[in-house]
């Protein structure tokens, strides 16, 4: 009942030195660096391929913070929902590293029953091993429906006649 803002008043009332200590400020600065500093190691993956920052955010940390709100936890960082679009209020969120890993350009996604998710997300949801699912789609060329509908076969446990292989043989 005593809270007056989501955190943007704290930033607005803080000195510029205090603002620079905020994790949200570091996220904002890093976003700008990726998109506009041609000397940045990551520029080629962002600004170099046309990813930009909306004018409202480019000019004001306070506006960025007002739109994004405070970072929910120290585990959250800034993420673009659609990696082909730039940084703007409709395309950005705070996300965990796990969620971001599943939203990379190189992450293979499958669409099944009207839903699109990464292979890792499908594997977790359906209880199929990630490597098994990736192999079905990649090496075996199965369709998304084939790969996701078929339950994984569990290998039988080692027996005396067929022991588990633990490494190279000593022959």
């Amino acid at each position: 009942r005593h809270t007056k803002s989501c955190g943007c008043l704290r930033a607005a009332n803080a000195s510029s030195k205090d603002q620079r200590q905020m994790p949200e400020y570091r996220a904002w600065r890093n976003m700008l660096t990726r998109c506009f500093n041609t000397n940045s190691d990551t520029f080629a993956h962002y600004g170099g391929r046309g990813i930009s920052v909306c004018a409202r955010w480019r000019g004001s940390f306070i506006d960025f913070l007002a739109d994004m709100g405070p970072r929910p936890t120290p585990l959250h960082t800034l993420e673009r929902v659609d990696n082909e679009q730039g940084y703007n209020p409709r395309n950005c969120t705070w996300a965990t590293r796990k969620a971001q890993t599943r939203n990379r350009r190189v992450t293979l996604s499958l669409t099944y029953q009207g839903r699109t998710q990464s292979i890792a997300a499908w594997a977790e949801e359906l209880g199929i091993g990630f490597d098994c699912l990736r192999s079905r789609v990649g090496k075996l060329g199965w369709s998304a429906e084939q790969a996701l509908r078929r339950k994984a076969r569990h290998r039988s446990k080692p027996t005396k006649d067929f022991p588990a292989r633990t490494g190279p043989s000593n022959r």
Side-chain angles (χ1 to χ4, degrees), residues 33 35 50 53 60 85-86 94-95 108 115 119 129-130 134 145 153 159 165:
T33 298
C35 293
V53 178
S60 170
Q85 293 184 25
W94 296 112
L108 181 61
R115 292 177 41 222
I119 286 181
F130 171 80
R134 184 177 59 183
E145 184 170 349
R153 281 186 283 167
T159 64
R165 186 165 179 188

Side-chain angles (χ1 to χ4, degrees), residues 51-106:
I51 301 301
S52 63
V53 178
C54 69
R56 175 176 162 83
W57 286 3
R58 186 172 185 185
S60 170
F61 167 64
I62 301 299
D63 289 342
F64 167 80
L65 188 60
D67 292 338
M68 289 299 298
R71 188 171 67 151
T73 74
L75 299 176
H76 286 77
T77 58
L78 185 62
E79 179 188 41
R80 287 174 295 122
V81 176
D82 181 345
N83 288 314
E84 299 306 317
Q85 293 184 25
Y87 291 94
N88 63 65
R90 291 177 312 281
N91 193 43
C92 290
T93 187
W94 296 112
T96 63
R97 187 65 62 198
K98 181 178 180 180
Q100 288 187 20
T101 299
R102 293 178 176 181
N103 189 29
R104 295 173 55 203
R105 285 185 294 152
V106 296

